[in-house]
Amino acid sequence: MTIAAVIPARYASTRFPGKPLARQTGKYLIEHVYEQVCKCSKVDQILIATDDTRIFNACREIGAPCEMTRDDHQCGTDRLAEVAQRHPDFDLIVNVQGDEPEIDPSSIDCLVDLMLNDSEAGMGTLCAEIKDRSEIENPNVVKVVIGQKKQALYFSRSPIPYDRVGAAWRGAYRKHLWIYAYRRDMLLAFSRMVQTPLELTEKLEQLRALENGVKIAIDQVTHIAVGIDTPEQYVEFVKRYVK
């Protein structure tokens, strides 16, 4: 079995154009992500997928494998599916966000082990305990409810589960982390599925998989990587990096 980590990288970010090439640390942002994935022990191949020649050339400069993809994809998953279509040898594909330079390699390895140990799961992902109560009500923090056998039951921007009996909130709420693993056939099938009612309501594409009966395996980790969505968040990352 070949396990591949694919890092989608777009130049045309709405809030932070060109962020994969931000370089105030002396390294490209995408370079930081690539170096973290290189530390994984469970990944056989790493590939950056981009639609921009500037990112492609930067990857060549640092010696990172990169492929050009179409520029009309609506989301990173579709870009991932294009890569999967080209590489029939990729059995398990991990989608690593290209804007998480502090992602923990052990989290990626944990996700790979999760999928290897659950042959019924078409997809896999990770979550972490919510420790800041304000995040429960924050719609930008996606909550997930998981079952006894490490399967995702539902994802929502709303507080789930609802605390009917007033139980202690610590340990009851988990946030979804934006990393996925797909079996190749499932990824190709997923890219062909039409958007579903729950997905359109919550604006969460993983609900499309659940509504189509796909089992999503999920495990809990302690490290939470901070995604870089804005120039201000990048400045904070630079401060952490140079310390």
Side-chain angles (χ1 to χ4, degrees):
M1 171 177 283
T2 299
I3 300 166
V6 179
I7 310 170
R10 293 176 60 247
Y11 190 91
S13 169
T14 303
R15 288 183 286 178
F16 191 181
K19 68 179 176 180
L21 302 184
R23 206 177 190 182
Q24 292 182 28
T25 64
K27 297 181 180 181
Y28 296 116
L29 180 63
I30 193 67
E31 186 176 357
H32 285 287
V33 179
Y34 173 70
E35 288 182 347
Q36 289 299 96
V37 180
C38 284
K39 298 175 185 177
C40 295
S41 63
K42 305 287 185 177
V43 172
D44 301 310
Q45 294 192 42
I46 307 170
L47 180 65
I48 297 170
T50 187
D51 60 358
D52 192 276
T53 55
R54 288 164 289 191
I55 297 175
F56 179 83
N57 290 335
C59 290
R60 292 186 64 181
E61 176 189 332
I62 64 175
C66 184
E67 287 187 5
M68 291 292 295
T69 56
R70 301 200 323 263
D71 61 3
D72 59 346
H73 290 306
Q74 297 299 308
C75 62
T77 308
D78 291 339
R79 196 176 312 282
L80 206 71
E82 181 183 346
V83 172
Q85 190 70 51
R86 294 179 188 170
H87 293 273
D89 56 317
F90 288 0
D91 301 297
L92 186 64
I93 302 168
V94 182
N95 185 353
V96 179
Q97 298 297 314
D99 59 5
E100 293 187 358
E102 297 168 292
I103 189 166
D104 188 348
S106 67
S107 293
I108 299 174
D109 286 337
C110 173
L111 180 55
V112 171
D113 280 336
L114 181 69
M115 293 297 290
L116 293 178
N117 292 328
D118 189 345
S119 61
E120 295 181 354
M123 289 174 57
T125 191
L126 298 174
C127 66
E129 179 185 346
I130 290 180
K131 297 182 178 180
D132 182 348
R133 192 162 191 165
S134 67
E135 290 187 329
I136 298 173
E137 298 287 345
N138 185 346
N140 295 315
V141 176
V142 176
K143 276 67 68 174
V144 59
V145 173
I146 65 177
Q148 296 294 320
K149 296 183 178 180
K150 293 185 178 181
Q151 78 276 24
L153 300 179
Y154 192 68
F155 300 85
S156 181
R157 298 184 184 276
S158 298
I160 55 171
Y162 178 74
D163 189 3
R164 178 67 180 270
V165 297
W169 68 272
R170 289 294 293 271
Y173 294 90
R174 298 175 177 87
K175 70 169 72 177
H176 177 229
L177 306 182
W178 295 101
I179 181 170
Y180 293 100
Y182 303 86
R183 301 196 191 282
R184 181 177 181 275
D185 290 346
M186 163 54 202
L187 175 59
L188 296 177
F190 183 78
S191 68
R192 295 190 294 267
M193 295 176 186
V194 298
Q195 289 184 298
T196 53
L198 290 176
E199 175 188 5
L200 292 169
T201 300
E202 296 251 24
K203 303 302 181 185
L204 298 173
E205 67 174 18
Q206 61 268 42
L207 294 177
R208 187 192 321 169
L210 289 182
E211 286 188 85
N212 279 278
V214 176
K215 180 180 179 181
I216 302 178
I218 188 166
D219 205 353
Q220 184 168 314
V221 294
T222 56
H223 182 270
I224 301 173
V226 178
I228 309 298
D229 295 320
T230 66
E232 293 76 17
Q233 290 174 329
Y234 179 69
V235 169
E236 292 303 312
F237 162 66
V238 173
K239 291 178 182 178
R240 292 192 298 271
Y241 181 76
V242 298
K243 283 185 178 180

